[in-house]
Amino acid sequence: MSTNWLEGVTEKLIPTSLGLINVRVGGRPDGPAMVCWPSLMMDGTMWRYQYEHFAPTHRVVLIDSPGHGKSDALRKIIDLKDSSDALAEILDALDIDTCVLVGNSWGGMLAGVFPAYYPQRTAAAIGINCTASLPTMFESVWATALSTFLSLHAKMPPLAARAARAAFAGPTAEATNPEFVEFTKFVLRNDPKSVAWALRSILIGRKDEHRRLNTIRNVPVLIIAGEEDSQFPVHVVRKMADAIEDSTFRLLQHTAHLAARENPDAVNAEIDAFLAALPAAA
C-alpha cells in the first residue's frame, strides 16, 4: 500500500490506561477535530480515504487501537468503557476538548457508547457497521475458536487472512473490488495474541449496550449499516440506532462490514451530509 498519503502526518505514542497508543495526526491544524477508531484487526491506516477527504477541513486523528498497529500489545480483557477512557486520555494529550468521533466495527461500537460516558467531549459521533447487542451463539463459537487458534501463534497464520476476507468482503466486493479483497490481507501484519485478546474482549465478551445508548442526549449520532454485512446484519445495526434518541440511520447498498474502506465515497458522502445538517457544522 502506498504511504505517500501519510506525508505531513505526525505520529506519536500516547500513554493511556491501556498502554501506549499510537496516533497519527494531520489535516488542518485549526480545524475541528475528527478522531477515527478502526475495526478489530485493522489499524489507523484503514482510514486513508477518510483522511484524504476530511484533512482539508478537519484536524484528523487516526488511532491504532489497543494491540494493533504500533500500539502496545494487548494481553488482558478490556471493554468499551476501557476504550472510552483511553480515548479521553488521548484527547487530553492532544489538547482536544471535543471531537467528531468516527468508528468502524469496534470503533463504531465505541462511537455509540463514548457519547454516553463522555458527552461533553463529543461534538458528534458516527458509528459504521456496529452493534449494541450481545454476541449470537454462532458468533461466540467461531470467535472463540479463532481466538484460541490465534493465541497459539507468535506470527499471524495464513488462516487469519481467510477469516478476515470472509468477515470483511461481501458478494459485491468479491465480484467487483479486487483491491479491497487484497487489502483484507492486511490482518497478517497483526500480533495474533493481541488479536485473540481483542476478540475475547470486544466480540465474545461484549455487553448489551442499548440501555446505555438510551441515556445519550443532545449529541448528534449517525449510524451506518452495510447491506451485505455478514457480521452485524442490518436489523442489528438499526436496533442500535433506534436506542439513541434522535439518531440518524443510513443504509449503504452493496457494502459489507468494512464500509469505510470498501466504499469510502459513500461513507464520506453520508458523513458530509450529516455534519452539514448540524445546527453548527462540526
Side-chain angles (χ1 to χ4, degrees):
M1 182 192 302
S2 170
T3 57
N4 291 341
W5 67 278
L6 289 171
E7 290 181 4
V9 173
T10 61
E11 197 164 352
K12 63 175 69 178
L13 289 167
I14 295 178
T16 75
S17 51
L18 296 181
L20 294 173
I21 299 297
N22 188 66
V23 302
R24 298 171 181 86
V25 183
R28 180 177 167 181
D30 61 345
M34 176 177 285
V35 178
C36 301
W37 188 291
S39 167
L40 196 151
M41 302 181 83
M42 295 284 142
D43 71 9
T45 63
M46 72 155 278
W47 299 103
R48 170 180 180 170
Y49 298 114
Q50 283 68 47
Y51 179 84
E52 292 176 335
H53 182 80
F54 290 103
T57 55
H58 287 74
R59 181 186 181 198
V60 183
V61 179
L62 310 178
I63 294 176
D64 289 352
S65 47
H68 291 69
K70 298 179 183 179
S71 294
D72 277 352
L74 185 61
R75 293 294 186 269
K76 65 178 181 179
I77 294 293
I78 65 173
D79 60 19
L80 292 175
K81 177 60 165 62
D82 297 323
S83 301
S84 296
D85 292 342
L87 176 54
E89 292 169 324
I90 292 168
L91 297 182
D92 289 342
L94 296 176
D95 294 320
I96 295 173
D97 292 329
T98 62
C99 72
V100 176
L101 177 58
V102 186
N104 200 122
S105 191
W106 178 357
M109 290 185 271
L110 179 60
V113 301
F114 188 77
Y117 289 120
Y118 292 97
Q120 74 281 9
R121 309 300 298 269
T122 317
I126 296 99
I128 307 164
N129 303 111
C130 43
T131 182
S133 298
L134 291 169
T136 64
M137 180 62 71
F138 174 77
E139 189 178 7
S140 295
V141 169
W142 79 256
T144 299
L146 180 59
S147 65
T148 301
F149 177 70
L150 294 180
S151 69
L152 301 175
H153 291 77
K155 182 179 179 181
M156 191 63 78
L159 174 65
R162 295 196 291 274
R165 179 172 176 170
F168 294 150
T172 299
E174 289 285 358
T176 66
N177 196 342
E179 184 276 335
F180 174 75
V181 173
E182 182 68 18
F183 170 78
T184 62
K185 294 180 182 178
F186 181 92
V187 301
L188 295 175
R189 305 181 189 184
N190 287 317
D191 167 15
K193 297 183 188 303
S194 286
V195 171
W197 281 106
L199 283 166
R200 296 184 191 113
S201 300
I202 303 303
L203 285 186
I204 304 166
R206 71 177 186 265
K207 307 177 183 73
D208 188 308
E209 299 284 4
H210 292 97
R211 293 177 71 175
R212 191 179 314 282
L213 300 184
N214 193 244
T215 68
I216 296 172
R217 297 291 184 274
N218 303 316
V219 177
V221 179
L222 168 65
I223 301 295
I224 299 174
E227 177 194 25
E228 297 178 0
D229 189 346
S230 63
Q231 302 306 298
F232 302 144
V234 174
H235 71 276
V236 171
V237 185
R238 189 186 296 274
K239 182 180 178 182
M240 179 178 177
D242 288 344
I244 304 172
E245 185 177 89
D246 296 326
S247 71
T248 300
F249 176 81
R250 291 289 182 265
L251 176 64
L252 300 185
Q253 302 294 326
H254 313 300
T255 306
H257 185 67
L258 210 63
R261 183 58 176 73
E262 177 194 349
N263 193 357
D265 289 346
V267 168
N268 294 345
E270 292 292 355
I271 295 174
D272 275 336
F274 172 69
L275 296 180
L278 299 184

